[in-house]
Amino acid sequence: MAEIVAFLGMGGTIAGTAQSADDNVGYTAAQLGVQNLLQSVPGLTRILGARQALAEQVCQIDSKDLMHADWAALLGRLKHNLARPDVRAVVITHGTDTLEETAYFLSRALAPELLAHKPVVLTCAMRPASSLNPDGPGNLADAATLAVWPGARGVLVVCGGKIHGAAQVQKVHPYRVDAFDSGEAGPLGLVEEGRVRLLADFPRADHGQAAVDVEALQAKGWPRVEILLSHAGAGGGLLRALLREPEGEAPLRGIVVAGTGNGTIHREMDAGLLLAQARGVRVVRVSRCAYGQVVGDAPEAVAFSKYALSAVKARIALMLDIASEA
Ligand code: ASP
């Protein structure tokens, strides 16, 4: 039985096209199918060896517009493919804008045993497929290399020759092809000329972590968690508007506050957050700093729990926490 590497297409710039080959910004994302993308990868057959490529289009979207339902669809196809004994690995082509959120979501939502011996590799591009000098084919070649690399496991991201872990990876540049960074942790490794050079171990499956029942979440509705940013001149108006809950909006269940420095919150916001918390809204604070995480307990924020994650990932963590408690 030949092994399979499944390539799941989600859209993004990697599948984008522009009117002109010298236009790297005025393009439309998510135009080409994943099968089409595979045809542009130099040496894919050599990289895969005896393994077969299986292409599946899950979504075709600009990832800035990603919805929770798209995650549900992706998770369903991942569970199906990873459970197949003949599937060695899954590669996902995805837009860069919310790639770190999808990577983190998958690392939390997939059953640990599905990731214990198989990698899920997300890749992307900063330039459209129609570019004079596209980065997608090279990134996809690197993703395929990593997918079949001995010992590869867990949710991984490959872009610009660097391998990142799902918890650390962050898009840090709106234009550069090397657009991702893992902060203080650094990349897990590099893909160089068709070889993986590991700088840290592949992520270990957390066997204490329960898989998320996304079908139930979809049916029930994902808990609404919003993100606020504390800044100079911040007031309580936005928070008061959030708590008013307009007609037709799901009830607010959680707030992630990206605080200044060590997760501190403007005093004008603080009172509103305490009120929200008193009404049963879960409040979590993180730091808006690019590096590090909230350390110790700042006295003014003792009542709010803290996560060692970026605000967008903390939102996912809080949603999943609330869903698991409901
Ligand atoms: N807006 C695009 C997306 O996230 C950007 C990209 O893929 O680079 O789908």
Side-chain angles (χ1 to χ4, degrees), residues 156-181:
L156 306 165
V157 170
V158 174
C159 180
K162 293 187 183 129
I163 305 167
H164 302 276
Q168 296 81 24
V169 68
Q170 222 177 322
K171 186 174 180 181
V172 293
H173 205 282
Y175 180 70
R176 226 170 52 195
V177 289
D178 182 14
F180 289 86
D181 191 66

Side-chain angles (χ1 to χ4, degrees), residues 16-309:
T17 53
Q19 296 287 342
S20 151
D22 61 3
D23 191 351
N24 286 321
V25 288
Y27 60 86
T28 309
Q31 299 300 300
L32 306 177
V34 63
Q35 179 70 59
N36 214 308
L37 302 186
L38 291 180
Q39 282 154 14
S40 70
V41 180
L44 183 66
T45 324
R46 181 181 37 78
I47 295 168
L48 295 183
R51 301 172 190 94
Q52 280 170 12
L54 179 119
E56 227 186 277
Q57 197 70 41
V58 179
C59 295
Q60 189 61 299
I61 51 164
D62 184 323
S63 81
K64 75 176 177 60
D65 298 324
L66 193 131
M67 303 294 285
H68 296 149
D70 301 321
W71 280 343
L74 178 60
L75 197 71
R77 295 317 298 157
L78 273 167
K79 281 187 193 162
H80 168 82
N81 279 291
L82 290 169
R84 280 178 59 166
D86 55 346
V87 168
R88 162 81 185 87
V90 180
V91 173
I92 303 169
T93 56
H94 197 289
T96 57
D97 286 343
T98 54
L99 181 138
E100 71 215 55
E101 293 174 62
T102 298
Y104 181 70
F105 168 71
L106 295 178
S107 75
R108 290 285 313 267
L110 282 164
E113 51 279 13
L114 290 178
L115 294 171
H117 307 289
K118 295 182 183 185
V120 170
V121 183
L122 291 103
T123 196
C124 55
M126 290 296 286
R127 295 180 183 153
S130 55
S131 169
L132 209 53
N133 192 9
D135 54 328
N139 283 344
L140 203 37
D142 287 350
T145 300
L146 178 60
V148 299
W149 198 255
R153 60 166 187 254
V155 179
L156 306 165
V157 170
V158 174
C159 180
K162 293 187 183 129
I163 305 167
H164 302 276
Q168 296 81 24
V169 68
Q170 222 177 322
K171 186 174 180 181
V172 293
H173 205 282
Y175 180 70
R176 226 170 52 195
V177 289
D178 182 14
F180 289 86
D181 191 66
S182 284
E184 290 166 323
L188 295 178
L190 305 162
V191 187
E192 298 166 328
E193 295 294 306
R195 295 191 66 78
V196 170
R197 178 158 64 96
L198 275 184
L199 303 173
D201 204 3
F202 287 118
R204 289 205 173 277
D206 175 0
H207 288 285
Q209 182 179 297
V212 174
D213 184 352
V214 178
E215 287 81 18
L217 208 49
Q218 265 301 108
K220 237 176 17 194
W222 297 54
R224 182 168 155 235
V225 176
E226 303 284 355
I227 298 174
L228 289 179
L229 184 75
S230 189
H231 53 86
L238 198 52
L239 196 49
R240 281 195 296 277
L242 267 180
L243 291 175
R244 273 201 294 274
E245 293 188 357
E247 198 80 19
E249 198 68 67
L252 183 68
R253 304 288 306 280
I255 299 173
V256 172
V257 201
T260 38
N262 194 26
T264 50
I265 296 161
H266 197 295
R267 61 173 181 236
E268 298 290 326
M269 271 184 138
D270 220 24
L273 288 169
L274 284 167
L275 176 69
Q277 196 167 248
R279 290 190 190 174
V281 176
R282 290 267 302 273
V283 182
V284 158
R285 73 198 159 95
V286 296
S287 173
R288 68 177 209 185
C289 290
Y291 294 103
Q293 63 185 60
V294 178
V295 176
D297 277 316
E300 75 270 34
V302 171
F304 312 138
S305 51
K306 60 183 181 190
Y307 286 177
L309 291 166

